Amino acid sequence: MGDRKHIIYDPARECMSRDELTAWQSEKLKETVKREYENVAMYRERMDAKGIKPQDIRGVEDLKYLPFMEKTDLRDYYPFDLLASPREDIVRIQGSSGTTGKPIVAGYTRNDVDVWSTMMARTLTAAGCTREDIVQVAYGLGLFTGGFGAYQGADKIGAMVVPMSSGNTQRQIMMMKDLGVTMLCCTPSYATYLGETIREMGLVPGKDIKLKAGCFGAEPWTEAMRVKLEELLGIDACDIYGLTEIAGPGVAFECLEKQGMHINEDQVIPEIIDPATGEPLPYGESGELVFTTITKTGMPMLRYRTHDICSLTDKKCDCGRTFARMSRITGRTDDMLIIRGVNVFPSQIETVLVRAEGVAPHYMLIVDRVNNSDTLEVQVEMTEDMFSDTVSHIEGVRRYITDQIKSVVGIAAKVTLVAPKSVPRSEGKAKRVIDNRKL
Ligand code: DLL
């Protein structure tokens, strides 16, 4: 990517001094708190219950006094009771799957769609995208924010957009080849599937496929998976993060330094809190990520608890951007598995599997309870070569993975090496855990 490594979409904002940024955030925060208090009954009641009036919030330093918002609020006030703008000013609804069958929906004003598009234009630019690029959007286009977000950002840059949406893998690859697509936007699990299918079709990345970079997110993935994906597709693979309630993808994005994701801090204020006590934690400490939107008008969110776990740093990045960076998401407070009393994050197991020889990055974790004791089975696919190898070699690999999981995660798991292509592929967010204890 060389010459494109350090292009910045919005340098006046993305490189502003931390002092300027704090002043900006404080002003915008005050406006947002006032808007929310005046227009959203639920939030006004919560602030009143804590004895806080909008004028008590003088700047970012007072953020910690505000009450939290939660995903359950979106369910309880579904669909429109959290709107802080008149219904007719809402020009878009996006959503994500909820736990009760109804989706979680968020309303966006014209301003909010613009804010989001800008964040995505910055995101794609940070991965090297210019108006010369051809961007294939293989995130789902629909209520899910991935497709529209990537489309809007690429459109704002003036790149050529190929809005494929997810699925139809052969056709995706045909378009990628015929149009000379240079950038790919989809989930990392789908990118892996696309990469493998490209190879199976006898196409050669760098020759038949012109991809240079990809913006992959919407689900957790590991550094080891990045190495695998970059090798498979011959690209720079950048992590991007976001959530429907805050804006969709582009809330945070990696630049080509690949040292964590810059948070669009002129639009959102991040905090890390201790998930048990709700107390803010300093830079460097791992905890639950919380966001406050400061420029949205449709459905602003104040201290929204994401349940995603990561840490923040405000150390300056070599790219020149001053926005704080978040680490990869290492798990969610609600997807952490507790197996025989040990906290297990699927990402720990992924790291072991992706580094092991002879297995493909397709796996499933099956948790169960047998005779009152928790069990964990890790099913992972063998590569074609491994599948036709000797029984004793396969057994050696299986034992190696079992030992690694024991030493990294601290529990004994049953490792099963399954045939190539037997773990279901996903075109969107991958499902990697089946917890039969919850049935
Ligand atoms: O997944 C938005 C998005 C689309 C982000 C495309 C990136 C790319 P939701 O469907 O509302 O929105 O899901 C949000 O997905 O709270 C995280 O748990 C998870 N997530 C999103 N990005 C990442 C990432 C979109 N890069 C939820 N790493 C979030 C890990 C991620 N988890």
Side-chain angles (χ1 to χ4, degrees):
M1 215 23 97
D3 53 324
R4 300 205 194 164
K5 193 161 175 188
H6 285 162
I7 42 172
I8 296 179
Y9 183 78
D10 218 351
R13 288 286 188 82
E14 294 177 72
C15 306
M16 71 214 253
S17 74
R18 298 291 303 172
D19 286 347
E20 272 177 284
L21 180 64
T22 305
W24 163 271
Q25 287 178 330
S26 294
E27 274 322 297
K28 294 288 163 193
L29 175 64
K30 285 190 277 185
E31 284 171 24
T32 304
V33 172
K34 186 165 179 291
R35 171 183 283 277
E36 191 78 353
Y37 189 85
E38 287 172 358
N39 296 289
V40 181
M42 176 282 254
Y43 207 74
R44 182 167 56 247
E45 283 157 19
R46 266 186 211 176
M47 282 178 66
D48 287 346
K50 280 192 130 208
I52 307 165
K53 294 277 173 253
Q55 55 274 23
D56 297 332
I57 304 299
R58 290 151 306 166
V60 180
E61 67 282 6
D62 293 330
L63 190 60
K64 55 180 179 289
Y65 301 119
L66 289 170
F68 290 114
M69 293 176 91
E70 285 273 5
K71 200 175 206 110
T72 47
D73 295 330
L74 280 99
R75 198 180 64 211
D76 296 345
Y77 296 89
Y78 173 91
F80 293 142
D81 286 350
L82 294 181
L83 293 184
S85 288
R87 220 287 297 129
E88 57 277 20
D89 287 349
I90 302 298
V91 298
R92 179 86 64 81
I93 289 292
Q94 301 278 175
S96 66
S97 47
T99 43
T100 57
K102 290 227 177 182
I104 295 292
V105 296
Y108 300 61
T109 58
R110 176 76 56 211
N111 163 78
D112 301 345
V113 174
D114 285 348
V115 164
W116 176 24
S117 305
T118 301
M119 294 202 283
M120 270 311 291
R122 293 175 185 175
T123 300
L124 289 163
T125 305
C129 182
T130 68
R131 58 189 301 278
E132 288 161 27
D133 280 289
I134 305 179
V135 182
Q136 185 150 333
V137 178
Y139 285 119
L141 275 143
L143 264 190
F144 174 57
T145 51
F148 272 101
Y151 157 72
Q152 288 159 198
D155 183 72
K156 190 147 188 146
I157 291 170
M160 183 192 289
V161 187
V162 189
M164 296 298 290
S165 197
S166 57
N168 215 335
T169 304
Q170 303 279 331
R171 195 169 173 182
Q172 297 264 6
I173 295 169
M174 180 181 79
M175 293 299 265
M176 205 178 274
K177 174 173 171 289
D178 294 351
L179 303 179
V181 167
T182 54
M183 297 205 63
L184 175 63
C185 299
C186 62
T187 58
S189 52
Y190 192 47
T192 310
Y193 182 31
L194 280 166
E196 287 171 346
T197 313
I198 285 171
R199 302 248 173 185
E200 278 165 23
M201 288 166 75
L203 300 172
V204 180
K207 187 168 146 271
D208 308 304
I209 298 288
K210 302 280 188 273
L211 282 182
K212 291 181 302 197
C215 291
F216 306 122
E219 64 187 13
W221 53 310
T222 55
E223 214 37 52
M225 185 69 110
R226 185 205 315 264
V227 173
K228 201 120 204 166
L229 201 46
E230 293 197 329
E231 210 177 81
L232 191 63
L233 284 165
I235 57 168
D236 283 300
C238 295
D239 196 1
I240 81 169
Y241 171 87
L243 58 168
T244 314
E245 303 87 315
I246 300 302
V251 170
F253 59 86
E254 265 185 338
C255 63
L256 288 163
E257 296 293 333
K258 301 178 201 160
Q259 298 289 325
M261 293 179 274
H262 292 279
I263 298 172
N264 273 299
E265 283 186 291
D266 58 334
Q267 321 284 357
V268 298
I269 305 177
E271 291 173 274
I272 295 288
I273 61 162
D274 177 331
T277 64
E279 283 306 307
L281 295 174
Y283 285 123
E285 282 195 33
S286 184
E288 180 181 338
L289 183 60
V290 170
F291 282 115
T292 297
T293 66
I294 50 173
T295 51
K296 272 189 17 165
T297 52
M299 204 171 101
M301 300 306 268
L302 295 169
R303 303 198 83 200
Y304 182 70
R305 294 185 64 156
T306 65
H307 292 277
D308 291 322
I309 300 166
C310 69
S311 62
L312 302 181
T313 174
D314 65 345
K315 289 209 184 83
K316 205 166 170 200
C317 179
D318 284 345
C319 71
R321 291 176 183 82
T322 48
F323 289 160
R325 282 167 288 155
M326 58 185 263
S327 66
R328 270 184 192 285
I329 302 289
T330 52
R332 287 181 51 81
T333 55
D334 47 8
D335 80 3
M336 181 180 78
L337 297 163
I338 303 181
I339 300 175
R340 296 193 290 274
V342 178
N343 297 350
V344 178
F345 287 101
S347 60
Q348 296 173 296
I349 294 175
E350 179 177 301
T351 303
V352 170
L353 297 179
V354 175
R355 291 205 178 121
E357 295 280 329
V359 293
H362 301 290
Y363 61 94
M364 191 65 91
L365 311 183
I366 300 159
V367 188
D368 216 330
R369 183 162 287 144
V370 178
N371 298 331
N372 286 325
S373 177
D374 297 332
T375 59
L376 169 66
E377 180 184 356
V378 177
Q379 292 186 348
V380 59
E381 272 181 20
M382 286 177 267
T383 58
E384 294 285 353
D385 283 353
M386 186 63 167
F387 192 48
S388 48
D389 211 323
T390 60
V391 173
S392 70
H393 189 200
I394 294 176
E395 178 53 19
V397 169
R398 199 191 63 77
R399 231 179 290 125
Y400 170 79
I401 295 174
T402 310
D403 291 348
Q404 285 293 305
I405 292 176
K406 175 89 185 124
S407 91
V408 172
V409 186
I411 56 160
K414 176 183 174 207
V415 174
T416 312
L417 301 185
V418 297
K421 305 226 164 52
S422 55
V423 172
R425 300 294 189 259
S426 80
E427 294 167 350
K429 295 185 192 239
K431 177 165 172 48
R432 305 212 199 262
V433 179
I434 299 173
D435 192 343
N436 291 322
R437 298 173 303 180
K438 289 182 185 152
L439 294 179

Coordinates of all heavy atoms in Angstrom, one line a residue, residues 71 95-97 104 108 116 120 139-140 143-147 149-150 185-188 215-221 238-252 261 289 291 304-309 326-332 334-335 429, ligand 1:
K71 N -28.8 -2.0 26.1 CA -29.5 -2.6 25.0 C -31.0 -2.9 25.4 O -31.9 -2.7 24.6 CB -28.9 -3.9 24.6 CG -29.2 -4.3 23.1 CD -28.5 -5.5 22.7 CE -28.4 -5.6 21.2 NZ -27.1 -5.3 20.6
G95 N -31.1 -1.8 11.9 CA -31.3 -2.7 13.0 C -30.4 -3.8 13.2 O -29.6 -4.1 12.3
S96 N -30.5 -4.5 14.3 CA -29.7 -5.7 14.4 C -30.5 -6.7 15.2 O -31.5 -6.3 15.8 CB -28.4 -5.4 15.2 OG -28.6 -5.1 16.5
S97 N -30.1 -8.0 15.1 CA -31.0 -9.0 15.7 C -31.0 -8.8 17.3 O -30.0 -8.7 17.9 CB -30.6 -10.4 15.3 OG -29.2 -10.5 15.5
I104 N -33.4 -4.9 17.3 CA -33.2 -3.6 17.9 C -33.1 -2.6 16.8 O -32.4 -2.8 15.8 CB -31.8 -3.7 18.6 CG1 -31.7 -4.7 19.7 CG2 -31.3 -2.3 19.1 CD1 -32.5 -4.4 20.9
Y108 N -32.2 7.3 12.3 CA -31.1 8.2 12.0 C -31.7 9.4 11.2 O -32.5 9.2 10.3 CB -30.1 7.6 11.0 CG -29.4 6.4 11.5 CD1 -30.1 5.2 11.9 CD2 -28.0 6.3 11.6 CE1 -29.4 4.1 12.3 CE2 -27.3 5.2 12.0 CZ -28.0 4.1 12.4 OH -27.4 3.0 12.8
W116 N -22.3 9.4 10.0 CA -21.9 8.0 9.8 C -21.1 7.8 8.5 O -20.0 7.1 8.5 CB -23.2 7.1 9.9 CG -23.0 5.7 9.6 CD1 -21.9 4.9 9.8 CD2 -24.1 4.8 9.1 NE1 -22.2 3.6 9.5 CE2 -23.5 3.5 9.1 CE3 -25.4 5.0 8.8 CZ2 -24.2 2.4 8.6 CZ3 -26.1 3.8 8.4 CH2 -25.5 2.6 8.3
M120 N -17.3 6.5 8.0 CA -16.9 5.3 7.1 C -15.9 5.8 6.0 O -15.1 5.0 5.6 CB -18.1 4.7 6.5 CG -18.7 3.6 7.4 SD -17.5 2.3 7.9 CE -17.1 1.5 6.4
Y139 N -20.8 -7.1 2.9 CA -21.6 -7.1 4.1 C -23.1 -7.1 3.6 O -23.4 -6.5 2.6 CB -21.4 -5.8 4.9 CG -20.1 -5.7 5.7 CD1 -19.2 -4.7 5.4 CD2 -19.8 -6.6 6.7 CE1 -18.0 -4.6 6.1 CE2 -18.6 -6.5 7.5 CZ -17.7 -5.5 7.2 OH -16.6 -5.4 7.9
G140 N -24.0 -7.6 4.4 CA -25.4 -7.6 4.0 C -25.9 -6.2 3.9 O -25.6 -5.3 4.8
L143 N -31.3 -4.2 6.9 CA -31.4 -3.6 8.2 C -30.0 -3.5 8.9 O -29.7 -2.6 9.6 CB -32.4 -4.4 9.1 CG -33.8 -3.9 9.2 CD1 -34.5 -4.7 10.3 CD2 -34.0 -2.4 9.4
F144 N -29.2 -4.6 8.7 CA -27.9 -4.7 9.2 C -27.1 -3.5 8.6 O -27.2 -3.1 7.5 CB -27.2 -6.0 8.8 CG -25.8 -6.1 9.1 CD1 -25.4 -6.0 10.4 CD2 -24.9 -6.4 8.1 CE1 -24.0 -6.2 10.7 CE2 -23.5 -6.5 8.4 CZ -23.1 -6.4 9.7
T145 N -26.3 -2.8 9.5 CA -25.6 -1.6 9.1 C -24.4 -1.8 8.2 O -23.9 -0.8 7.6 CB -25.1 -0.8 10.4 OG1 -24.4 -1.7 11.2 CG2 -26.3 -0.2 11.2
G146 N -23.8 -3.0 8.2 CA -22.6 -3.2 7.5 C -22.6 -2.8 6.0 O -21.7 -2.1 5.6
G147 N -23.6 -3.3 5.3 CA -23.6 -3.0 3.9 C -23.8 -1.5 3.6 O -23.0 -0.9 2.8
G149 N -23.3 1.0 5.5 CA -22.1 1.8 6.0 C -21.0 1.8 5.1 O -20.5 2.9 4.7
A150 N -20.6 0.7 4.6 CA -19.5 0.6 3.6 C -19.8 1.3 2.3 O -19.0 2.0 1.7 CB -19.1 -0.9 3.4
C185 N -15.1 -5.4 1.6 CA -15.7 -5.1 2.9 C -16.6 -6.2 3.3 O -17.6 -6.4 2.6 CB -16.5 -3.8 2.9 SG -15.5 -2.4 2.6
C186 N -16.3 -7.0 4.3 CA -17.2 -8.1 4.8 C -16.7 -8.6 6.1 O -15.7 -8.0 6.7 CB -17.2 -9.3 3.8 SG -15.6 -10.1 3.5
T187 N -17.4 -9.6 6.7 CA -16.9 -10.1 8.0 C -15.6 -10.9 7.7 O -15.4 -11.5 6.6 CB -17.9 -11.1 8.6 OG1 -18.2 -12.1 7.7 CG2 -19.2 -10.3 8.9
P188 N -14.7 -11.0 8.7 CA -13.5 -11.8 8.5 C -13.8 -13.2 8.2 O -13.0 -13.8 7.5 CB -12.7 -11.6 9.9 CG -13.7 -10.9 10.8 CD -14.8 -10.3 10.0
C215 N -11.6 -4.1 4.8 CA -12.0 -3.6 6.1 C -13.0 -4.7 6.7 O -14.1 -4.8 6.2 CB -12.8 -2.3 6.0 SG -11.7 -1.0 5.5
F216 N -12.5 -5.4 7.7 CA -13.2 -6.6 8.2 C -13.7 -6.3 9.6 O -12.8 -6.0 10.5 CB -12.4 -7.8 8.1 CG -11.8 -8.1 6.7 CD1 -10.5 -8.1 6.4 CD2 -12.7 -8.2 5.6 CE1 -10.0 -8.4 5.2 CE2 -12.2 -8.4 4.3 CZ -10.9 -8.5 4.1
G217 N -14.9 -6.6 9.9 CA -15.4 -6.4 11.3 C -16.8 -7.0 11.5 O -17.2 -7.9 10.7
A218 N -17.5 -6.6 12.5 CA -18.8 -7.0 12.8 C -18.8 -8.3 13.7 O -19.9 -8.7 14.2 CB -19.8 -7.2 11.6
E219 N -17.7 -8.9 13.9 CA -17.5 -10.0 14.7 C -16.1 -10.1 15.3 O -15.2 -9.5 14.7 CB -17.8 -11.3 14.0 CG -16.8 -11.6 12.8 CD -17.2 -12.8 11.9 OE1 -18.3 -13.2 12.0 OE2 -16.3 -13.2 11.2
P220 N -15.9 -10.8 16.4 CA -14.5 -10.8 16.9 C -13.6 -11.6 16.0 O -14.0 -12.6 15.4 CB -14.7 -11.5 18.3 CG -16.1 -11.8 18.4 CD -16.8 -11.5 17.2
W221 N -12.4 -11.2 15.9 CA -11.3 -12.0 15.2 C -10.0 -11.7 15.9 O -9.9 -10.7 16.7 CB -11.3 -11.8 13.7 CG -11.2 -10.4 13.2 CD1 -12.0 -9.3 13.5 CD2 -10.3 -9.9 12.2 NE1 -11.6 -8.2 12.8 CE2 -10.6 -8.6 11.9 CE3 -9.3 -10.5 11.4 CZ2 -9.9 -7.8 11.0 CZ3 -8.7 -9.7 10.4 CH2 -9.0 -8.4 10.3
C238 N -7.6 -4.8 7.6 CA -7.8 -3.9 8.7 C -9.1 -4.2 9.5 O -10.1 -4.6 8.9 CB -7.9 -2.4 8.2 SG -6.4 -1.9 7.4
D239 N -9.0 -4.0 10.8 CA -10.2 -4.2 11.7 C -11.1 -3.0 11.7 O -10.6 -1.9 11.8 CB -9.6 -4.5 13.1 CG -10.6 -5.2 14.0 OD1 -11.8 -5.5 13.6 OD2 -10.3 -5.5 15.2
I240 N -12.4 -3.2 11.6 CA -13.3 -2.0 11.8 C -14.4 -2.4 12.8 O -14.8 -3.6 12.8 CB -13.9 -1.5 10.5 CG1 -15.0 -2.3 10.0 CG2 -12.8 -1.4 9.4 CD1 -15.7 -1.5 8.9
Y241 N -14.8 -1.5 13.6 CA -15.7 -1.7 14.7 C -16.9 -0.8 14.6 O -16.7 0.4 14.2 CB -15.0 -1.6 16.0 CG -15.9 -1.6 17.2 CD1 -16.2 -2.9 17.8 CD2 -16.4 -0.5 17.8 CE1 -17.0 -2.9 18.9 CE2 -17.2 -0.5 18.9 CZ -17.5 -1.8 19.5 OH -18.4 -1.8 20.5
G242 N -18.0 -1.2 15.1 CA -19.2 -0.3 15.2 C -20.4 -1.1 15.7 O -20.3 -2.3 15.8
L243 N -21.4 -0.4 16.0 CA -22.7 -1.0 16.4 C -23.8 -0.1 16.0 O -23.7 1.1 16.0 CB -22.7 -1.4 17.9 CG -22.4 -0.3 18.9 CD1 -22.8 -0.8 20.3 CD2 -21.0 0.2 19.0
T244 N -24.9 -0.8 15.7 CA -26.1 -0.1 15.2 C -26.6 1.0 16.1 O -26.9 2.1 15.6 CB -27.3 -1.2 15.2 OG1 -26.8 -2.4 14.7 CG2 -28.5 -0.7 14.5
E245 N -26.6 0.8 17.4 CA -27.1 1.8 18.3 C -26.3 3.1 18.3 O -26.8 4.2 18.5 CB -27.0 1.3 19.8 CG -27.8 0.0 20.0 CD -26.9 -1.2 19.7 OE1 -26.2 -1.3 18.7 OE2 -26.9 -2.2 20.5
I246 N -25.0 3.0 17.9 CA -24.1 4.2 17.9 C -24.0 4.8 16.6 O -24.1 6.0 16.4 CB -22.7 3.8 18.5 CG1 -22.8 3.3 19.9 CG2 -21.7 5.0 18.4 CD1 -23.5 4.2 20.9
A247 N -23.8 4.0 15.5 CA -23.8 4.5 14.1 C -23.8 3.4 13.1 O -24.1 3.7 12.0 CB -22.6 5.5 13.9
G248 N -23.3 2.3 13.5 CA -23.0 1.2 12.5 C -21.5 1.2 12.4 O -20.7 1.7 13.2
P249 N -20.9 0.5 11.3 CA -19.5 0.4 11.2 C -18.8 1.7 11.1 O -19.4 2.7 10.6 CB -19.3 -0.4 9.9 CG -20.5 -0.2 9.1 CD -21.6 0.0 10.2
G250 N -17.6 1.8 11.5 CA -16.8 3.1 11.4 C -16.7 3.9 12.7 O -16.1 4.9 12.7
V251 N -17.4 3.4 13.7 CA -17.2 4.1 15.0 C -15.7 4.1 15.3 O -15.1 5.1 15.8 CB -18.0 3.3 16.1 CG1 -17.6 3.8 17.5 CG2 -19.5 3.4 15.9
A252 N -15.0 3.0 15.0 CA -13.5 2.9 15.2 C -13.0 2.1 14.0 O -13.6 1.2 13.5 CB -13.2 2.3 16.5
M261 N -7.6 0.3 16.9 CA -8.6 1.1 16.1 C -8.8 2.5 16.6 O -9.1 2.7 17.8 CB -9.9 0.3 16.0 CG -9.8 -1.0 15.3 SD -11.4 -1.9 15.3 CE -11.3 -2.8 16.8
L289 N -16.5 -1.4 27.2 CA -16.5 -0.2 26.4 C -17.9 0.5 26.5 O -18.9 -0.2 26.3 CB -16.2 -0.6 25.0 CG -16.0 0.5 23.9 CD1 -14.9 1.4 24.2 CD2 -15.7 -0.2 22.5
F291 N -20.0 4.1 25.1 CA -20.0 5.2 24.2 C -21.0 6.2 24.5 O -22.2 5.9 24.8 CB -20.2 4.7 22.7 CG -19.0 4.1 22.1 CD1 -19.0 2.8 21.8 CD2 -17.9 4.8 21.9 CE1 -17.9 2.2 21.2 CE2 -16.7 4.3 21.3 CZ -16.8 2.9 21.0
Y304 N -23.7 4.6 26.7 CA -24.3 3.3 26.2 C -23.3 2.1 26.5 O -22.2 2.1 26.0 CB -24.7 3.4 24.7 CG -25.3 2.1 24.3 CD1 -26.6 1.8 24.7 CD2 -24.6 1.2 23.4 CE1 -27.2 0.6 24.3 CE2 -25.2 0.0 23.1 CZ -26.5 -0.3 23.5 OH -27.1 -1.5 23.1
R305 N -23.8 1.2 27.2 CA -22.9 0.0 27.6 C -22.9 -1.0 26.5 O -24.0 -1.6 26.2 CB -23.4 -0.6 28.9 CG -23.2 0.3 30.1 CD -23.6 -0.3 31.4 NE -22.7 -1.5 31.7 CZ -22.5 -1.9 32.9 NH1 -23.1 -1.4 33.9 NH2 -21.7 -2.9 33.1
T306 N -21.8 -1.2 25.8 CA -21.7 -2.1 24.7 C -21.6 -3.5 25.1 O -21.8 -4.4 24.3 CB -20.5 -1.8 23.8 OG1 -19.3 -2.1 24.5 CG2 -20.5 -0.3 23.3
H307 N -21.1 -3.8 26.3 CA -20.7 -5.1 26.7 C -19.5 -5.7 26.0 O -19.2 -6.9 26.2 CB -21.9 -6.1 26.7 CG -23.0 -5.7 27.7 ND1 -22.9 -6.1 29.0 CD2 -24.0 -4.9 27.6 CE1 -23.9 -5.5 29.7 NE2 -24.6 -4.8 28.9
D308 N -18.9 -5.0 25.1 CA -17.7 -5.4 24.5 C -16.5 -5.1 25.4 O -16.4 -4.1 26.0 CB -17.5 -4.7 23.1 CG -18.5 -5.1 22.1 OD1 -18.9 -6.3 22.1 OD2 -19.0 -4.2 21.3
I309 N -15.5 -6.0 25.4 CA -14.4 -5.9 26.3 C -13.1 -5.5 25.5 O -12.8 -6.2 24.5 CB -14.1 -7.2 27.1 CG1 -15.3 -7.5 27.9 CG2 -12.9 -7.0 28.0 CD1 -15.3 -8.9 28.5
M326 N -8.6 1.9 20.3 CA -9.1 0.7 21.1 C -8.4 -0.5 20.6 O -8.1 -0.7 19.5 CB -10.6 0.6 21.1 CG -11.2 0.4 19.7 SD -13.0 0.4 19.7 CE -13.4 -1.3 19.7
S327 N -8.2 -1.4 21.6 CA -7.6 -2.7 21.2 C -8.6 -3.6 20.5 O -9.8 -3.2 20.4 CB -7.1 -3.5 22.5 OG -8.3 -3.8 23.2
R328 N -8.2 -4.7 20.0 CA -9.2 -5.6 19.5 C -10.2 -5.9 20.6 O -9.9 -5.9 21.8 CB -8.5 -7.0 19.1 CG -8.1 -7.0 17.7 CD -7.5 -8.4 17.4 NE -6.8 -8.3 16.2 CZ -7.4 -8.3 15.0 NH1 -8.7 -8.3 14.9 NH2 -6.7 -8.2 13.9
I329 N -11.4 -6.3 20.2 CA -12.4 -6.8 21.2 C -12.0 -8.2 21.6 O -11.9 -9.1 20.7 CB -13.8 -6.8 20.6 CG1 -14.2 -5.5 20.0 CG2 -14.8 -7.4 21.6 CD1 -14.5 -4.4 21.1
T330 N -11.7 -8.4 22.9 CA -11.3 -9.7 23.3 C -12.4 -10.6 23.7 O -12.3 -11.8 23.9 CB -10.3 -9.6 24.5 OG1 -10.9 -8.8 25.5 CG2 -9.0 -9.0 24.1
G331 N -13.6 -10.0 23.8 CA -14.8 -10.8 24.2 C -15.9 -9.9 24.5 O -15.8 -8.7 24.5
R332 N -17.1 -10.5 24.9 CA -18.2 -9.7 25.4 C -18.5 -10.1 26.8 O -18.3 -11.3 27.1 CB -19.4 -9.9 24.5 CG -19.3 -9.2 23.2 CD -20.6 -9.5 22.4 NE -21.8 -9.1 23.1 CZ -22.3 -7.8 23.2 NH1 -21.6 -6.8 22.6 NH2 -23.4 -7.6 23.9
D334 N -21.1 -10.7 27.9 CA -22.2 -11.7 27.9 C -21.9 -12.9 27.0 O -22.7 -13.8 26.9 CB -23.5 -11.1 27.6 CG -23.5 -10.1 26.4 OD1 -22.4 -10.1 25.7 OD2 -24.4 -9.5 26.1
D335 N -20.7 -13.0 26.4 CA -20.4 -14.2 25.6 C -19.2 -15.0 26.2 O -18.8 -15.9 25.7 CB -20.3 -14.0 24.1 CG -18.9 -13.5 23.7 OD1 -18.0 -13.3 24.5 OD2 -18.8 -13.2 22.5
K429 N -22.2 -12.7 10.1 CA -21.5 -13.0 11.4 C -21.4 -14.5 11.7 O -22.4 -15.2 11.6 CB -22.2 -12.3 12.6 CG -22.3 -10.8 12.5 CD -22.9 -10.2 13.7 CE -23.2 -8.7 13.5 NZ -22.6 -7.8 14.5
Ligands
DLL1 O1 -21.8 -5.3 13.5 C1 -21.7 -3.0 12.8 C2 -20.5 -3.4 11.9 C3 -20.7 -3.7 10.6 C4 -19.2 -3.3 12.4 C5 -19.6 -4.0 9.8 C6 -18.1 -3.5 11.6 C7 -18.3 -3.9 10.3 P1 -24.3 -4.8 15.1 O2 -24.9 -5.8 14.2 O3 -25.2 -3.8 15.9 O4 -23.4 -3.8 14.3 O5 -23.3 -5.5 16.1 C8 -22.5 -4.8 17.0 O6 -20.8 -6.6 16.9 O7 -21.2 -4.7 19.9 C9 -19.5 -6.2 18.8 O8 -19.9 -7.1 19.8 C10 -19.5 -6.8 17.4 N1 -18.5 -6.2 16.6 C11 -18.6 -5.3 15.7 N2 -17.4 -5.0 15.1 C12 -16.5 -5.8 15.7 C13 -15.1 -6.0 15.6 C14 -22.3 -4.2 13.6 N3 -14.3 -5.4 14.7 C15 -21.6 -5.8 17.8 N4 -14.5 -6.9 16.5 C16 -20.6 -5.1 18.7 C17 -15.2 -7.6 17.4 C18 -17.2 -6.6 16.7 N5 -16.6 -7.5 17.5

